[in-house]
Amino acid sequence: MRDLYRRLGVTPDSDDEALGRALGACEHRTLRRDAEAALSVAEHRREYDALHATLGDIGRLRARLGLTHGAHWRDGLADDFSCPADLAGSHHEALMRRLSHAALAHDRWRRWRAPALGLGLFLLGLALGGAACHWLLG
């Protein structure tokens, strides 16, 4: 999907006047027609802005994770919302380490929860029995 704002050279928070100037200066007939249909009507522009924000978030997320489109996706029409991969700041390995640590902790808990629960109940019974003896004898 094309980013109409980027193609017109304006920002999503541009006012109607700046958008009108950009539309007037646009030499690409199909782009101008698409932009007028999507951005000239207030309701259509709200819907486009919501979609624009979502696609931008997805593009930034893919870049942070170090994901890129294959060569077949890299052309002028399909990559407006793709960001270059942030390989230096990729969080994939850190997320995988945290996930492995959580899985090990869960496995450890499952292995030791029955003996720990039994010991806890025994100690609770011992404490309650001691308190009952102290109350009856005291």
Side-chain angles (χ1 to χ4, degrees):
M1 185 175 154
R2 292 185 289 189
D3 181 349
L4 297 176
Y5 291 121
R6 182 189 300 178
R7 299 280 176 120
L8 291 174
V10 295
T11 61
D13 59 350
S14 296
D15 60 2
D16 292 337
E17 192 174 306
L19 189 59
R21 283 193 305 271
L23 284 169
C26 180
E27 295 177 4
H28 193 274
R29 187 177 65 224
T30 305
L31 174 63
R32 184 176 44 237
R33 186 176 55 232
D34 289 349
E36 286 173 346
L39 303 176
S40 294
V41 178
E43 182 180 338
H44 293 177
R45 185 170 180 181
R46 276 192 303 277
E47 291 175 13
Y48 180 81
D49 286 346
L51 179 62
H52 184 270
T54 301
L55 290 174
D57 289 343
I58 291 170
R60 285 184 292 280
L61 174 65
R62 288 180 57 82
R64 275 198 317 267
L65 293 175
L67 303 174
T68 59
H69 287 306
H72 60 282
W73 285 100
R74 304 296 295 179
D75 68 9
L77 295 178
D79 70 347
D80 276 0
F81 290 95
S82 299
C83 302
D86 183 10
L87 298 177
S90 176
H91 300 287
H92 182 265
E93 290 163 8
L95 290 173
M96 290 307 294
R97 275 194 311 274
R98 289 177 66 190
L99 187 61
S100 294
H101 178 71
L104 287 173
H106 180 263
D107 290 344
R108 209 173 299 127
W109 163 249
R110 288 192 65 198
R111 186 176 31 230
W112 289 101
R113 76 175 169 199
L117 184 60
L119 180 63
L121 288 174
F122 174 75
L123 292 175
L124 180 63
L126 193 62
L128 288 175
C133 285
H134 179 65
W135 180 68
L136 289 174
L137 299 175

